[in-house]
Amino acid sequence: MSTPYPFTAIVGQDDLRLGLLLNAVSPAVGGVLVRGEKGTAKSTAVRALAALMPEVSVVPGCRFSCDPASPDPACPDGPHAEAAGVSRAARTVELPVGASEDRLVGALDIERALSEGVKAFEPGLLADAHRGILYVDEVNLLHDHLVDLLLDAAAMGASYVEREGVSVRHAARFLLVGTMNPEEGELRPQLLDRFGLTVEVAASRDTDERVEVVRRRLAYDDDPEGFAARWAEEETALRERIAAARALLPRVVLGDGVLRQIAATCAAFEVDGMRADIVMARTATALAAWAGREEVTADDVRQAALLALPHRRRRNPFDAPGLDEDKLDQTLDEAAGDEGQGDDDDPDPGPDGGGDGGGGGGVPPQADGDRTPPQGSEGDDTPSQAPDSAPDAPGRSAGAEQQPVAAAEPFRTKMLSVTGLGEGAAGRRSRARTAHGRTTGAVRPQGALTKLHLSATVQAAAPHQRARGRSGRGLVVRRDDLRQATREGREGNLVLFVVDASGSMAARQRMSAVKGAVLSLLLDAYQRRDKVGLVTFRGKEAEVALPPTSSVDAAAARLESLPTGGRTPLAAGLLKAHDVLRVERLRDPSRRPLLVVVTDGRATGGPEPVALAGRAARLHQAEGTASVVVDCESGYVRLGLAGELARELGGTAVTLDELRADSIAGLVKDVTAAGRAA
């Protein structure tokens, strides 16, 4: 086994180390999510934490790590007789992003269960992580069905495995630690809330600190054991401090005053539910114990808020997590003032009530998550009443480049789905053959059996019972009788946006509405677990503003800063999209694309721009690309060019109004493509 990098040798990253240590002191805090760019010691710190965790006492021979002082009465290896426990180090179990469901929760021997009626169960990673650490690297890339299983286990403290009437339950209480790079996509809100704390990490910009990081890493790589030995004394001291804080934790007093500050802070930042209040209380208590105090202070509450609230505050999914620290200090001071003047006749005391919530607890300020969208130039002289149907003309003010404008308020969109049955990555958009969903049939298993189709298995085995000498009540089942269930669920698609940023779209109110519509579609893609890409066209060419990625918030950021102006090279935009999709088909052939063209349908610049755009559109039609044109044309005079473009693409056209889910046109629209069977 390789020697882990010492926790105390990590340079900087104070928030990261503190969040992990508080969970070591009080596992009830609920784990920690570490967000940050690659190469910032996220994984190194998590793996180093295991060496600092106190040993656990387990029942000898129990595969589920039962505590001998209070064994699980439902343990599959039980019941356990009274016996002295054995001590071992707390485990750190890593959950790979591509793990199967059976690897996570365990697997039943279906053949023995059917033929012998016994629960032959092979424990999974949840059983291994019980009373230890469950570490998920790149947790934001975890498949949805694994996320659901983690949510259930984290909520109930137990794992349930049920297969066709055979049920196994075992305890699964663990410290959940996840690391992620936000550039690769955000985390589902349901799982995000399960992490007690969150910390943001970034590489230091201090030259001396960066030099020390490199120096220590090179020394560790040259001689891991020797490097660890040099830090052994610091590791021992830190381990002893954790043990002392754990012993002190039950004696820490959480007074009514700080409880009021906690409640007021959670209410002020409009967090959902009561989990944030509980986590803040536990975190503040752990902070006091870590500092060697028996009473929680306002500084502890402030620091707990900076760790427990950024990922819980009510916000747009594309906003960066963070807290307004001025608002936090004001809320703490007001809550402290209310407490101090509880017997005063003045029912409305001022904010200077004597609270001391401004200390900050030594945590570096976190990035403010309030985004200010760029505003348009006040000097814009584009006529706001100009008819949208007028063609582009040289010298027209709309043809000049305009400053980016803010997107209008997003709305809930119709679900646009690709017709047919795909086999792509699990998601929530189009129909697909998946490992989860409703059962549609049965086939012979190719490799290991994962989803048993019970009735098909029984039907396959029934005719052979006499020949196999069946004499008892059990069904004699052979490997050839087993049948795998085929299931239908939903897949995520590649949604490629092709956005017209030309002068014909430059009217401020109109472009704001267009950006609002695209932002709404991006929100929908975020919720449906799609990959997204962004192609824009204006002036003389088209460009890939964002290559296909799982980071939907990156697409929203590019959209926000999108300028407009110039001619309308529609053909260039469609051809650029064709190149992007061609490359993506080679990279991920199972993920079906959905082309979303946002335009008024005009094409200008160069010889025969309309005919050239039509030929480019027919390239997509010939390859069977599902497409939809969002018609941005407005005004009394309409040319219907977007509808003609949709026909050339072999897709459908919707107006901005029809895109809304609450429009009378209906709630679901399947996007058709030429040559694709429904």
Side-chain angles (χ1 to χ4, degrees), residues 170-184:
H170 64 82
R173 292 182 295 274
F174 45 82
L175 170 59
L176 182 60
V177 181
T179 57
M180 61 174 283
N181 183 350
E183 294 177 355
E184 297 171 339

Side-chain angles (χ1 to χ4, degrees), residues 374-443:
Q375 300 297 319
S377 169
E378 294 297 329
D380 179 16
D381 58 356
T382 301
S384 59
Q385 303 299 323
D388 287 328
S389 57
D392 294 340
R396 184 182 174 201
S397 60
E401 179 171 321
Q402 307 294 323
Q403 293 298 316
V405 298
E409 190 70 20
F411 51 85
R412 190 168 66 92
T413 68
K414 294 178 184 177
M415 188 183 80
L416 304 175
S417 59
V418 181
T419 57
L421 194 63
E423 295 181 345
R428 292 184 174 83
R429 185 171 297 278
S430 304
R431 293 173 53 221
R433 299 182 185 90
T434 60
H436 299 268
R438 63 185 182 90
T439 301
T440 58
V443 296

Side-chain angles (χ1 to χ4, degrees), residues 277-300:
D277 304 62
I278 297 171
V279 170
M280 271 190 66
R282 289 171 174 167
T283 305
T285 304
L287 281 163
W290 179 246
R293 289 182 275 102
E294 293 189 5
E295 186 173 354
V296 177
T297 66
D299 284 350
D300 296 327

Side-chain angles (χ1 to χ4, degrees), residues 50 62 206 232 357 531 548 583 617 629 674:
C62 178
D206 181 79
K531 289 181 68 175
V583 173
V629 177

